[in-house]
Amino acid sequence: MSDTDVNKGIKLSPEMKKIIRKQRLQDFIFHKVTLTFASLVLVVLAGIIISLIITAWPTFAKYGPGFFFRNEWDVVNSDFGGLDSIYGTLVTAVIALLIAVPISFGISVFLTEMCPGWLKRPLGTAVELLAAVPSIIYGMFGLFVFAPVYADYVQPFLTSTIGQVPVIGVLFKGAPNGIGLLTAALILAFMIIPFITSVMRDVFEIVPPVLKEAAYGIGCTTWEVVTRVVLPYTRTGVVGGVMLGLGRALGETMAVTFVIGNAHRISPSLFSPGSSIASTLANEFGEAEPGLHYSSLFALGLTLFIITLFVLAAAKWMLINMEKNQGSKN
């Protein structure tokens, strides 16, 4: 560096040049350190993918893509397929999301727009406490408290009402044993409601008050303010909260293992026992011996990774399209 600042025509003293060199060195080191941290994430991600593929390769070498569509899981005869676990994972996660998102949205809107001041803090704290409850506690609650009540009262009611409706009635028929796909989905809904609610509440609170006050000033109702001001302003955060809940539902292990029934089969009834990828791994990984069984479990793990990646990509694509559509309207 020259002794003169070309842009300002100021001659730099030796002390100033020393300070500038020190600052540039600090910036260089800081840049390299943060780059290393960011690259470490990619390295870990690549390592996970590679290890899953290598260990699961014997399964894919034997079954090929057909592994994802085979409804077989016979440990004794070493015959494996992942369809039943994939089916259970997707069904329970989707049902849980369908239940949790409207409830979380309602709680978030109430907390940010209509909740009295004296109730806002206790209710918000309660939501955060529910998010901190360990998953195994939800599983124990589901098995020992929720499942008996569900079997004695809810399942018979659903069978006698919705179960008699053509086409969709088959989903609500079966023995009222209290455990199964629908039970797991309901427990998952209980688990992800606090997560989605917390994210939605936080993003709703960042909406500038002047925007909402202007909407109220021209005569908008609370519903119109929420749907036309709050949601468009916070759509990225809302989708992020929903995806956070979906990711929790897809990968939940212990709570689902307690109440899903752990049966490797596919049934049209939501009352029937089933299995998920996470519950299969939890139940069998500790006893699996090296070989096709061990490899198939890693194949299921890779499948769950792919499902999660696909969900995140779909969410990103949806956000991009929403931004494009919003720009075209403007």
Side-chain angles (χ1 to χ4, degrees):
M1 179 176 179
S2 62
D3 293 344
T4 304
D5 190 322
V6 178
N7 294 328
K8 297 182 179 180
I10 301 175
K11 186 175 181 180
L12 300 177
S13 63
E15 292 78 8
M16 183 61 68
K17 290 191 291 182
K18 184 178 180 180
I19 293 175
I20 292 176
R21 285 195 298 268
K22 181 179 179 181
Q23 290 175 337
R24 288 182 175 178
L25 179 61
Q26 290 174 340
D27 287 343
F28 176 80
I29 295 175
F30 183 71
H31 174 265
K32 297 305 179 184
V33 170
T34 53
L35 177 61
T36 301
F37 291 159
S39 301
L40 184 62
V41 176
L42 298 177
V43 172
V44 172
L45 182 61
I48 293 174
I49 296 174
I50 293 172
S51 63
L52 287 174
I53 293 175
I54 292 175
T55 313
W57 187 252
T59 296
F60 293 127
K62 180 176 180 179
Y63 299 112
F67 173 80
F68 303 112
F69 306 102
R70 301 182 76 252
N71 185 21
E72 294 288 342
W73 194 267
D74 189 349
V75 178
V76 176
N77 297 316
S78 295
D79 190 15
F80 300 100
L83 182 60
D84 54 342
S85 296
I86 296 172
Y87 172 80
T89 299
L90 295 178
V91 168
T92 54
V94 170
I95 295 176
L97 206 64
L98 291 176
I99 296 172
V101 170
I103 296 175
S104 300
F105 176 76
I107 297 173
S108 303
V109 171
F110 178 76
L111 285 174
T112 56
E113 301 296 330
M114 295 174 285
C115 184
W118 61 271
L119 182 60
K120 187 173 183 179
R121 182 178 293 274
L123 194 57
T125 303
V127 171
E128 294 172 354
L129 287 176
L130 284 175
V133 174
S135 61
I136 194 170
I137 302 301
Y138 281 103
M140 295 172 63
F141 164 78
L143 181 62
F144 297 109
V145 179
F146 179 79
V149 176
Y150 177 70
D152 292 339
Y153 301 101
V154 180
Q155 281 187 316
F157 173 76
L158 293 176
T159 301
S160 61
T161 54
I162 305 178
Q164 306 304 316
V165 178
V167 182
I168 65 171
V170 69
L171 298 175
F172 301 94
K173 291 183 178 180
N177 53 18
I179 60 174
L181 294 174
L182 187 56
T183 307
L186 292 172
I187 296 300
L188 283 176
F190 295 155
M191 295 182 63
I192 66 177
I193 282 174
F195 287 90
I196 301 177
T197 300
S198 297
V199 174
M200 284 189 177
R201 182 196 61 184
D202 291 342
V203 298
F204 287 171
E205 288 180 344
I206 67 173
V207 178
V210 64
L211 296 180
K212 294 188 287 187
E213 292 170 0
Y216 283 121
I218 62 175
C220 290
T221 63
T222 302
W223 173 252
E224 290 172 331
V225 170
V226 171
T227 56
R228 300 184 182 182
V229 177
V230 175
L231 278 180
Y233 191 89
T234 61
R235 60 182 179 272
T236 301
V238 169
V239 173
V242 173
M243 291 302 106
L244 175 65
L246 180 57
R248 176 75 186 271
L250 287 171
E252 179 52 43
T253 304
M254 293 311 301
V256 173
T257 304
F258 270 83
V259 297
I260 198 171
N262 302 303
H264 289 285
R265 65 185 184 188
I266 296 177
S267 172
S269 174
L270 297 177
F271 294 165
S272 64
S275 64
S276 69
I277 295 176
S279 67
T280 300
L281 294 175
N283 284 322
E284 302 183 17
F285 199 86
E287 300 177 356
E289 297 181 356
L292 197 59
H293 184 200
Y294 188 78
S295 175
S296 297
L297 291 174
F298 270 86
L300 285 180
L302 180 61
T303 303
L304 183 59
F305 185 91
I306 294 173
I307 292 173
T308 305
L309 183 63
F310 176 79
V311 168
L312 293 176
K316 186 65 176 178
W317 175 80
M318 183 173 62
L319 287 174
I320 293 175
N321 282 347
M322 290 171 60
E323 292 176 357
K324 288 182 178 179
N325 294 334
Q326 188 70 21
S328 62
K329 290 180 182 179
N330 296 334

